Amino acid sequence: MNILITNGRLIDQTGDRLASVRISDGIIVEVGDQLAPDSDSSRDERLIDAAGLVISPGFVDLHVHLREPGREEAETIETGSRGAALGGFTAVVAMPNTDPTQDSVGVVEFVRQQGKRAGLCDVYPSGSITMGRKGEQLTPFAELANAGVRLFTDDGNGVQDPQLMRRAYEYASDLGVTMAQHCEVESLTAGAVMHEGSCCSHLGLPGWPSLAEELMVHRDIELVRLTGAPAHFLHLSTAGSVALVRAAKADGLPVTAEATPHHISLTDELLASYSALYKVNPPLRTIEDVVAVREGLQDGTIDAIATDHAPHVSETKEMPLDQAPPGMLGLETALGVALAHLDMPLVDVVAAMSWKPAAIAGIADRHGRPIAPGEPANLTAFDPNETWEVVPAELASKSRNTPFIGVPLTGRVKHTILHGDIVVLDGKAQK
């Protein structure tokens, strides 16, 4: 497909400017002012008028649960990929808590191939740190790395054994891969439903202390200091965690971190409704924590915005709060939540959703690239000023567990281009 995007505001790591972009055979071939349509009548060139829109490198989500294989009633790789494309993502990293677990080359290749069949965004499987995510035996890191896995995580659980985690970091250092840690000391969270604080005491619900996250953040920072291996911290949610990562970066340690849209926008007080739509892992925290996480994104302590997209069928989310599974949708609302709640320059928000996570995922040669001739055409076009609300029936996901119904969001994706193909046009998926 040949495409000419005109009148756009281009934002990438090289700056912010007005320009047009010509794409041919999946590659950006020309960027400049007032580009004219191709004069060769034999070439079919699709014109997109991007007046009022921002054109950026495609977004990259470090943290999605696509459920397939094993839980296709909640989501499939195809439906999750469609939601990703509608949210402006051209690449996502699929978490390994599938059934079977992504702890073997066979399962990893299945996930990758299902992503290719869908053809809506690039799906990069992560690998689990331990076999079956049981925290007992390390996975075959070298085999998985040779199969293209760059991020390893037991997400949904933190690796509880510090000696086992030390060995994981030592292997990672040799292989050039990254351990992505879900920070939770489980002995402190058994039976917990929500954040431990005044709100949970008032509601009479079991509390989840900030310390459960912060102890593991501290442990893994010290393991990074010992081994020299890189670490990525998933879904940071507390002021203490942000402070620990900030200090580690000041020490020059190779650590990165992400925050979710819900941890920059929602607080634990919403659990007063007893609605499981607000139950997540880690839990929603206090407004002080929310402000600290926002500040972490603003000053670069937290590198990326990652959705932790976690679909669940309605029956499970309608269970009593202590029995319902944690998690909420995020792919289609991430930009709208971020722009509605972050007091950051637009270029910094785009960086946290595009080239910064691309670098962490090890895919910066294909995604999050500058908008320049010779670069792959993985692009997102969005209106940064449009306000809108979620219509559940219009979501691409098979699930509906979003807390943002009826909540005004700011910024909406209009077009997504993957490898030079238009996969979203005027806010509608093309596949």
Side-chain angles (χ1 to χ4, degrees):
M1 182 179 292
N2 300 303
I3 305 168
L4 176 61
I5 307 172
T6 61
N7 305 312
R9 176 187 173 190
L10 274 57
I11 292 181
D12 62 9
Q13 49 271 72
T14 69
D16 184 344
R17 68 275 192 203
L18 298 177
S20 299
V21 181
R22 175 170 277 120
I23 297 166
S24 181
D25 298 325
I27 301 296
I28 297 170
V29 295
E30 194 174 4
V31 177
D33 296 334
Q34 304 299 322
L35 297 182
D38 197 324
S39 59
D40 185 347
S41 60
S42 67
R43 293 166 57 88
D44 183 17
E45 187 170 67
R46 183 65 177 266
L47 298 178
I48 296 177
D49 184 354
L53 303 183
V54 170
I55 312 299
S56 76
F59 300 153
V60 175
D61 195 339
L62 287 166
H63 193 154
V64 302
H65 299 272
L66 298 179
R67 302 306 187 204
E68 186 180 5
R71 297 182 179 88
E72 291 84 356
E73 70 279 3
E75 193 78 286
T76 65
I77 291 170
E78 180 181 357
T79 60
S81 295
R82 186 172 293 110
L86 288 165
F89 295 95
T90 56
V92 299
V93 178
M95 292 292 100
N97 57 338
T98 49
D99 186 13
T101 304
Q102 289 165 209
D103 57 10
S104 68
V105 171
V107 179
V108 162
E109 286 301 326
F110 170 82
V111 171
R112 182 180 286 115
Q113 291 305 317
Q114 288 294 87
K116 288 182 178 179
R117 289 187 186 98
L120 290 151
C121 74
D122 285 346
V123 176
Y124 294 92
S126 61
S128 60
I129 295 174
T130 66
M131 297 299 296
R133 297 174 47 255
K134 295 179 179 178
E136 299 170 354
Q137 177 186 352
L138 296 178
T139 53
F141 288 166
E143 289 180 21
L144 291 166
N146 288 336
V149 174
R150 288 295 171 266
L151 280 181
F152 289 80
T153 177
D154 274 5
D155 183 52
N157 299 95
V159 177
Q160 303 299 301
D161 185 339
Q163 178 64 13
L164 190 68
M165 198 63 222
R166 174 182 177 173
R167 287 171 50 209
Y169 280 118
E170 289 170 343
Y171 283 126
S173 181
D174 292 336
L175 292 170
V177 297
T178 298
M179 297 295 113
Q181 189 66 275
H182 171 114
C183 293
E184 177 189 350
V185 177
E186 293 173 358
S187 61
L188 293 173
T189 64
V193 171
M194 63 176 293
H195 172 68
E196 182 180 280
S198 60
C199 188
C200 86
S201 298
H202 176 71
L203 297 173
L205 295 172
W208 183 310
S210 299
L211 186 64
E213 176 174 306
E214 294 159 7
L215 277 178
M216 193 169 284
V217 172
H218 172 73
R219 182 200 74 178
D220 278 46
I221 286 172
E222 294 310 309
L223 288 175
V224 168
R225 197 186 308 275
L226 177 67
T227 64
H232 177 67
F233 293 110
L234 303 173
H235 46 46
L236 290 189
S237 68
T238 78
S241 293
V242 176
L244 286 165
V245 172
R246 185 178 287 118
K249 287 192 168 189
D251 287 346
L253 297 180
V255 298
T256 55
E258 68 185 38
T260 70
H262 47 274
H263 285 120
I264 61 171
S265 60
L266 306 176
T267 67
D268 59 337
E269 294 175 349
L270 292 164
L271 271 297
S273 66
Y274 289 90
S275 169
L277 287 177
Y278 300 106
K279 184 180 179 182
V280 285
N281 179 355
L284 301 179
R285 305 288 189 180
T286 67
I287 186 61
E288 290 79 13
D289 292 304
V290 169
V291 170
V293 173
R294 291 175 184 169
E295 290 174 347
L297 279 164
Q298 290 162 3
D299 68 16
T301 296
I302 298 175
D303 304 85
I305 297 169
T307 67
D308 194 6
H309 176 81
H312 293 287
V313 293
S314 298
E315 308 89 82
T316 62
K317 274 295 189 178
E318 291 168 358
M319 296 170 69
L321 196 55
D322 61 338
Q323 300 174 36
M328 57 182 65
L329 304 182
L331 285 167
E332 295 177 64
T333 54
L335 177 68
V337 175
L339 293 184
H341 290 90
L342 292 173
D343 184 18
M344 293 169 57
L346 189 54
V347 64
D348 292 343
V349 176
V350 173
M353 295 186 69
S354 181
W355 54 88
K356 285 187 173 182
I360 294 167
I363 57 173
D365 58 332
R366 289 151 280 176
H367 292 274
R369 301 293 302 168
I371 303 174
E375 296 289 356
N378 296 312
L379 302 171
T380 295
F382 63 92
D383 183 341
N385 300 310
E386 181 177 341
T387 58
W388 60 287
E389 293 183 4
V390 175
V391 178
E394 296 179 359
L395 292 171
S397 175
K398 294 181 74 173
S399 298
R400 296 291 179 263
N401 55 305
T402 172
F404 294 108
I405 298 170
V407 177
L409 305 179
T410 302
R412 195 166 197 180
V413 172
K414 296 299 183 181
H415 316 296
T416 306
I417 296 173
L418 177 70
H419 307 309
D421 289 331
I422 301 172
V423 293
V424 172
L425 181 66
D426 294 324
K428 304 294 183 183
Q430 301 300 291
K431 293 186 180 182

